[in-house]
Amino acid sequence: MKILRIILALVFWTGITLLFFIPDLGAVTGFIPKLQFIPALMATNFAVIAALVLLTLLFGRIYCSVICPLGVFQDGLARIGAFIRRKTGRKAYNYRKGIKWLRYGIWVMFVCALAAGIQLIVSMLDPYSTWGRILGLRFSLPAFIIPAAALVLVSALSITLGRAYCNDICPVGTTLGLLSRFALLRPVIDRQKCRNCKACEHACKASCINIAEHKIDLSRCVDCFNCMESCKFGALKYGFAPRKKDAAEDKAPADPGRRAFVAGAALALGSTAAKAAELPGEGEERSVPLTPPGSSGVKDFYRRCTACQLCITACPNEVLRPSLKAERLMQPEMSFEKGFCRPECTLCSSLCPSGAIRKISREEKTGYHVGTARIDRELCLASQGTHCGNCARNCPTGAMKMVRPEDGGRMIPVVNEELCTGCGACEYLCPVHAASVEGKKIHIGQ
Amino acid sequence: MNRRDFIRISGIATLGAAAAGCSGTNSRKEDTGGAMEYRSGPTGKVSLLGYGCMRWPRTGSGKDSPVDQETVNELVDKALANGVNYFDTAPVYLGGESERVTGEALSRHPRNSYFIATKLSNFDDPSREKAIEMYESSLRNLRTDYLDYYLLHGIGMGGIESFKKRYIDNGILEFLKEERKGGRIRNLGFSFHGAKESFDHFMSLHDSGEISWDFCQIEMNYMDWKHADARTNVNADYLYAELERRAIPVLIMEPLLGGRLASVPEGISRQMKEREPDLSIASWAFRFCGSFPGVLTVLSGMTSEDHLDDNLKTFKGFNPLNGEELEFLEMMAARMKEFPLVNCTACRYCMPCPWGIDIPGIFKHYNTAVTEGTFAQTREQKDYLKLKRAYLKSYDRAVQKKQQADHCICCGQCVSHCPQGIKIPGELKRIHKYVESLKQDTI
């Protein structure tokens, strides 16, 4: 049982992690990010959401041990922590009650943020995107602090307390935990066989087995099956709930209490304050940001994107980079210092799990106009009388053309706004940065 | 018996054997396991391999050092011994030396064991006197009182205007027709360079009966077949078709395109060797030319014995190309036409480019890729993806992105500095187009 779980977990985890380094694997493992809970929520992918709900109702929080890459990562670190503790004569884990106010406070804040569209909170709390940001550390050096802090926090918690992050902080864990208490299959203690040795209690990473009362807090159990492996008396099995309902085993959480509410509200207020603060920007300063073709518009894009960095790491032309602006912290925007959005490339749209960049074909891409080019006549060589024309020569859509101005003189570049898709070839290839692209708010249908 | 008798007897014996096997002007000899291939000419069987006498070796390396008569004698002897019986020269070849030297070498053999071809090269002076003087001097130099094949040299160059001046207005064409009647010229024809209009004109003269051409010499090889340089030439498939349907025997010059087809870019030479590991690259060009039944002889300027040996290997027991091989050569020709090398010598006079383009770097990378074959030519080829990736990756490594060809704004400042006269912006644009076609998979 546990072996099977571990094998599956490694397959999923490797599939996602490699994808951040070898985007071409998208054809094989690209489906795994699309199975992640919050991205599926963003993409309103009801099929996936329903499947995950069903999965949890059938098997418990198996998602947290197999599909979630941050979860599998924590399992790896937890092993180290447990090993060290055992070597020094201590127990690997001990039962503890969860920090309900924190867990549900954050959950309330999360739900409010979701409703209010404060995407920053949603993306920071998404475990898959947290893992993506950690993997994408090399790309987000200026915003280094955020993924680094997450890495430190998650690592510290998993080494010392196993799945504390998953049970006391992560809103996905909390949501699935609401369902897993009704799971059809769950770890069951056979009281007949149990000798109260507490081996399982000390093996449980989620610290959710209370042998004193022979109770397992199913809302916190992540189906790692450590407990079953540890029981020498075969008293712990993965099976159906016993006929007799034990008193007070799986009750809905006690009223979170004022504590939780206050905590949640405080956090929400704090993040709104952060929104106002402006961090130094990177890349071109544009009045309307550029988001990739496949996104139907700027607002829709930033509403769905969970800043997982998958598109940023995949972009072969280094066009996508994480924003440092507070209102879209770590979410991608396009800039053309290192390359331009090539007409034949649809990699980001094929990978995006949250529906922020919809999957489009090369042909469909031509219909997405993400921006419009413009020429600064004072900088433009041709407009100032020197031979050039590189922008027009390389424009993939023929939007940029050289024309002879009425009053004679050199030919100058002009933009046909209807044809311009905002790909950035002109901006990238202009030697004096006279050509640049201004973002459009709505990308298609205009 | 002495060498002459031996040569005479073996030569006649071979001719006899060839005669027994051949019939009609369009015959191809079946494989006799190593005998020279012959074609039926208007006045006798001609070896399919003809000796071009424009490229005899010199004793020294300078352009003015004398032609190496001794080596020429050896080459002529060996050629005749192996069945080559056609020798093509002209008064203007090798500064006038060619006729004299060829005449000297051939005079050591019986006159009826070879065909001599020479030309009226009256380019400079179109006067009648000069033309007749040149004609008579050719007879003298070649030590003969008749010429088997006499050509109006390179008509078409300078168009119909020039042809009229050289041959019509001065009555020389009529003179030559008289000489033909009198037997001092056995076959009268012309060699052609120039535009289609001129060629069509010469064909119309034949059709109208004004002058009946006994043969025609054209530039033909697997490049010029369908990809001749349009500025100076006509596609050989057209020329050949026009001649064949009039049953005018075709003589071929430039079978190797001035030697270029002896060493082709790596990807192409590799494929040739894959098909025929033991045949030379040049042999493909020669086999191409000989594969056409209307061809009487293929002229090769064999400067050294190696050339002669390789050609003898090709033309003895001649093995024509089949349909698949012809298609293969056509594909290779199309690609060589599409992807010519840039003749940059990396002198760096063009640098520094005011916009930072790494001109020599770009050319070097491109040339290396073409000659070494890390060069995708069509997306249908089987290793396309591998080659595409190799090219694009190596390009990014060789030249920084901001210095690549797409950033060239064609300001043209480099052009005047290039000692090779390379049209640098144009070549950069061409390379950039290639890169774009790779990235977009439209190649």
Side-chain angles (χ1 to χ4, degrees):
Chain A
M1 204 73 226
K2 183 172 164 185
I3 306 285
L4 180 64
R5 197 258 319 155
I6 289 178
I7 290 172
L8 281 174
L10 284 175
V11 166
F12 276 80
W13 182 87
T14 313
I16 277 198
T17 304
L18 281 182
L19 196 54
F20 279 83
F21 296 95
I22 309 170
D24 303 300
L25 283 176
V28 178
T29 62
F31 72 97
I32 303 176
K34 296 183 180 152
L35 290 177
Q36 303 296 316
F37 189 78
I38 290 184
L41 210 59
M42 294 296 107
T44 52
N45 189 341
F46 295 117
V48 168
I49 298 168
L52 293 176
V53 166
L54 190 63
L55 184 75
T56 310
L57 285 174
L58 286 174
F59 299 103
R61 282 172 62 183
I62 195 80
Y63 174 96
C64 302
S65 287
V66 172
I67 297 178
C68 176
L70 199 64
V72 178
F73 169 70
Q74 289 180 79
D75 275 352
L77 289 188
R79 254 179 205 269
I80 299 169
F83 176 78
I84 294 170
R85 279 191 292 282
R86 266 190 241 116
K87 276 286 179 242
T88 58
R90 290 174 282 165
K91 298 293 177 200
Y93 301 102
N94 291 297
Y95 171 72
R96 55 181 191 88
K97 297 192 179 146
I99 310 172
K100 286 211 174 92
W101 65 265
L102 183 63
R103 185 186 204 193
Y104 293 105
I106 290 178
W107 191 81
V108 165
M109 179 185 75
F110 175 79
V111 171
C112 292
L114 207 55
I118 307 175
Q119 194 64 0
L120 184 66
I121 294 178
V122 174
S123 58
M124 291 301 132
L125 287 173
D126 171 24
Y128 153 72
S129 301
T130 303
W131 181 239
R133 283 188 292 273
I134 290 170
L135 291 180
L137 263 172
R138 66 197 186 283
F139 284 94
S140 54
L141 252 32
F144 171 82
I145 188 87
I146 295 158
L151 180 61
V152 166
L153 176 70
V154 169
S155 304
L157 285 177
S158 57
I159 288 177
T160 56
L161 293 169
R163 291 293 203 120
Y165 178 87
C166 307
N167 289 329
D168 295 323
I169 296 176
C170 180
V172 180
T174 308
T175 309
L176 294 180
L178 292 172
L179 298 170
S180 64
R181 63 192 74 227
F182 306 112
L184 197 60
L185 291 165
R186 74 271 297 282
V188 180
I189 302 173
D190 185 342
R191 301 244 192 143
Q192 259 56 30
K193 295 197 179 149
C194 176
R195 308 289 177 85
N196 298 319
C197 68
K198 294 199 178 177
C200 58
E201 192 179 299
H202 297 309
C204 176
K205 314 200 200 79
S207 303
C208 68
I209 302 179
N210 183 357
I211 284 301
E213 297 172 38
H214 287 118
K215 272 199 274 195
I216 301 177
D217 181 356
L218 288 170
S219 78
R220 287 190 289 138
C221 169
V222 290
D223 280 354
C224 71
F225 308 130
N226 270 5
C227 52
M228 286 169 234
E229 195 191 50
S230 71
C231 182
K232 291 195 259 299
F233 306 104
L236 212 41
K237 289 266 161 55
Y238 186 62
F240 298 103
R243 294 265 173 72
K244 250 193 321 180
K245 281 243 182 318
D246 283 301
E249 183 176 339
D250 303 311
K251 275 226 277 271
D255 172 16
R258 266 196 312 249
R259 238 195 199 175
F261 181 76
V262 168
L267 281 164
L269 277 170
S271 63
T272 323
K275 204 174 165 175
E278 200 69 32
L279 294 167
E282 187 194 40
E284 178 90 355
E285 195 55 49
R286 290 172 224 272
S287 56
V288 176
L290 288 164
T291 66
S295 60
S296 62
V298 174
K299 205 153 127 193
D300 183 77
F301 176 79
Y302 286 120
R303 275 225 55 185
R304 292 180 192 268
C305 167
T306 57
C308 72
Q309 316 294 293
L310 187 53
C311 61
I312 292 171
T313 59
C315 179
N317 301 293
E318 299 183 74
V319 169
L320 292 170
R321 63 279 302 283
S323 174
L324 294 177
K325 298 205 166 29
E327 67 263 23
R328 43 181 189 266
L329 199 55
M330 299 300 290
Q331 288 175 314
E333 56 191 15
M334 297 165 75
S335 202
F336 306 117
E337 288 87 0
K338 304 263 183 78
F340 68 100
C341 184
R342 294 199 50 87
E344 74 281 355
C345 177
T346 54
L347 200 48
C348 62
S349 87
S350 69
L351 290 171
C352 178
S354 67
I357 313 171
R358 267 170 253 165
K359 185 168 167 68
I360 54 173
S361 67
R362 191 176 158 166
E363 292 75 20
E364 285 168 324
K365 183 170 172 171
T366 62
Y368 282 79
H369 295 198
V370 305
T372 311
R374 51 178 181 72
I375 305 282
D376 182 331
R377 298 269 167 224
E378 274 172 27
L379 294 175
C380 171
L381 290 174
S383 308
Q384 296 299 318
T386 312
H387 182 98
C388 189
N390 216 22
C391 53
R393 187 178 307 121
N394 289 284
C395 177
T397 63
M400 187 77 77
K401 287 220 151 52
M402 302 300 283
V403 298
R404 180 96 46 205
E406 258 185 349
D407 48 2
R410 273 204 178 274
M411 295 183 93
I412 57 169
V414 292
V415 184
N416 180 340
E417 300 84 0
E418 292 302 300
L419 295 178
C420 178
T421 57
C423 74
C426 53
E427 184 177 317
Y428 171 58
L429 293 170
C430 174
V432 292
H433 215 71
S436 61
V437 180
E438 204 42 68
K440 281 176 73 147
K441 291 200 173 150
I442 307 288
H443 295 167
I444 53 165
Q446 282 197 324
Chain B
M1 74 175 75
N2 65 13
R3 191 168 55 163
R4 277 206 187 170
D5 289 337
F6 174 77
I7 289 170
R8 197 181 287 159
I9 288 168
S10 60
I12 291 171
T14 318
L15 280 166
C22 290
S23 57
T25 43
N26 287 351
S27 69
R28 277 191 293 115
K29 195 166 191 325
E30 68 265 19
D31 188 359
T32 59
M36 173 56 68
E37 171 91 359
Y38 289 92
R39 296 277 165 91
S40 292
T43 56
K45 301 251 182 290
V46 179
S47 57
L48 187 53
L49 173 62
Y51 217 120
C53 303
M54 195 176 83
R55 307 202 190 260
W56 288 129
R58 294 182 185 276
T59 50
S61 52
K63 265 201 294 216
D64 298 318
S65 58
V67 179
D68 185 351
Q69 182 71 63
E70 208 182 302
T71 308
V72 171
N73 289 353
E74 285 169 11
L75 289 169
V76 168
D77 293 348
K78 187 166 185 179
L80 281 165
N82 283 279
V84 176
N85 66 358
Y86 188 100
F87 293 83
D88 171 278
T89 179
V92 290
Y93 289 169
L94 296 170
E97 291 293 294
S98 177
E99 275 188 333
R100 202 183 46 73
V101 164
T102 308
E104 159 79 36
L106 286 172
S107 64
R108 292 142 60 252
H109 299 271
R111 179 64 181 89
N112 59 1
S113 65
Y114 53 84
F115 297 110
I116 282 198
T118 190
K119 311 180 184 79
L120 187 49
S121 315
N122 59 343
F123 299 112
D124 296 331
D125 186 343
S127 72
R128 187 188 172 85
E129 294 76 35
K130 195 61 205 284
I132 293 176
E133 189 190 307
M134 190 176 269
Y135 168 67
E136 283 172 356
S137 135
S138 290
L139 287 164
R140 268 197 310 277
N141 283 333
L142 292 165
R143 310 194 196 182
T144 180
D145 50 6
Y146 71 92
L147 296 166
D148 302 280
Y149 290 80
Y150 198 59
L151 294 87
L152 278 55
H153 194 171
I155 53 173
M157 297 200 288
I160 300 168
E161 275 292 303
S162 169
F163 168 72
K164 285 213 166 79
K165 258 207 285 236
R166 286 168 65 194
Y167 294 103
I168 307 294
D169 300 341
N170 55 12
I172 283 296
L173 186 56
E174 290 305 315
F175 168 79
L176 294 174
K177 278 154 87 173
E178 283 301 314
E179 290 297 290
R180 177 167 62 177
K181 256 214 211 97
R184 280 174 297 285
I185 293 177
R186 297 286 159 92
N187 297 287
L188 185 61
F190 67 98
S191 67
F192 172 75
H193 286 295
K196 183 169 168 295
E197 296 73 49
S198 309
F199 185 78
D200 289 341
H201 177 71
F202 303 141
M203 289 296 102
S204 69
L205 293 177
H206 181 90
D207 296 335
S208 66
E210 168 97 19
I211 164 81
S212 165
W213 303 114
D214 295 317
F215 63 93
C216 177
Q217 187 159 307
I218 57 170
E219 180 173 328
M220 179 166 137
N221 51 68
Y222 64 81
M223 268 301 265
D224 286 320
W225 187 243
K226 282 201 203 311
H227 304 279
D229 185 344
R231 293 170 297 184
T232 54
N233 218 344
V234 181
N235 282 349
D237 63 343
Y238 175 76
L239 301 175
Y240 176 81
E242 291 295 293
L243 293 169
E244 203 196 17
R245 70 181 175 88
R246 293 176 172 85
I248 300 174
V250 180
L251 276 54
I252 292 183
M253 56 180 168
E254 301 296 328
L256 275 187
L257 196 54
R260 273 167 59 189
L261 298 178
S263 83
V264 296
E266 202 274 349
I268 293 172
S269 62
R270 185 171 34 91
Q271 289 185 66
M272 287 177 170
K273 287 291 182 179
E274 278 167 3
R275 288 158 181 269
E276 297 281 6
D278 297 324
L279 297 187
S280 67
I281 305 296
S283 69
W284 283 86
F286 288 111
R287 283 172 68 212
F288 173 84
C289 291
S291 297
F292 294 86
V295 169
L296 186 59
T297 193
V298 180
L299 296 174
S300 178
M302 296 167 272
T303 312
S304 72
E305 199 175 337
D306 305 324
H307 300 160
L308 179 56
D309 286 341
D310 191 53
N311 279 347
L312 288 174
K313 188 173 160 194
T314 301
F315 285 99
K316 291 172 89 165
F318 181 71
N319 187 14
L321 298 175
N322 61 36
E324 195 271 326
E325 287 170 321
L326 286 168
E327 265 176 46
F328 160 69
L329 279 184
E330 166 52 29
M331 263 201 319
M332 299 299 109
R335 284 175 204 170
M336 278 196 281
K337 189 75 195 248
E338 250 185 287
F339 301 115
L341 297 176
V342 182
N343 48 324
C344 168
T345 58
C347 69
R348 303 190 73 90
Y349 289 10
C350 55
M351 298 295 277
C353 161
W355 299 105
I357 312 300
D358 181 4
I359 300 169
I362 294 168
F363 287 157
K364 177 165 177 222
H365 171 262
Y366 174 80
N367 281 346
T368 308
V370 172
T371 48
E372 294 196 356
T374 45
F375 189 70
Q377 290 162 344
T378 161
R379 67 174 183 273
E380 272 105 47
Q381 67 187 95
K382 63 172 161 52
D383 44 359
Y384 168 67
L385 282 174
K386 187 175 85 144
L387 291 174
K388 165 185 171 176
R389 214 169 290 149
Y391 188 89
L392 292 175
K393 253 217 179 102
S394 58
Y395 187 33
D396 284 342
R397 273 202 216 112
V399 183
Q400 279 184 51
K401 280 209 161 148
K402 283 284 193 170
Q403 300 180 335
Q404 289 181 357
D406 54 354
H407 281 81
C408 165
I409 66 167
C410 295
C411 71
Q413 288 191 44
C414 49
V415 179
S416 54
H417 292 117
C418 179
Q420 305 302 317
I422 301 171
K423 305 250 184 330
I424 297 174
E427 290 292 81
L428 288 176
K429 206 157 85 163
R430 178 168 73 82
I431 291 173
H432 169 54
K433 265 209 178 78
Y434 173 71
V435 170
E436 266 305 295
S437 70
L438 275 188
K439 289 186 175 175
Q440 298 201 37
D441 290 319
T442 54
I443 190 168

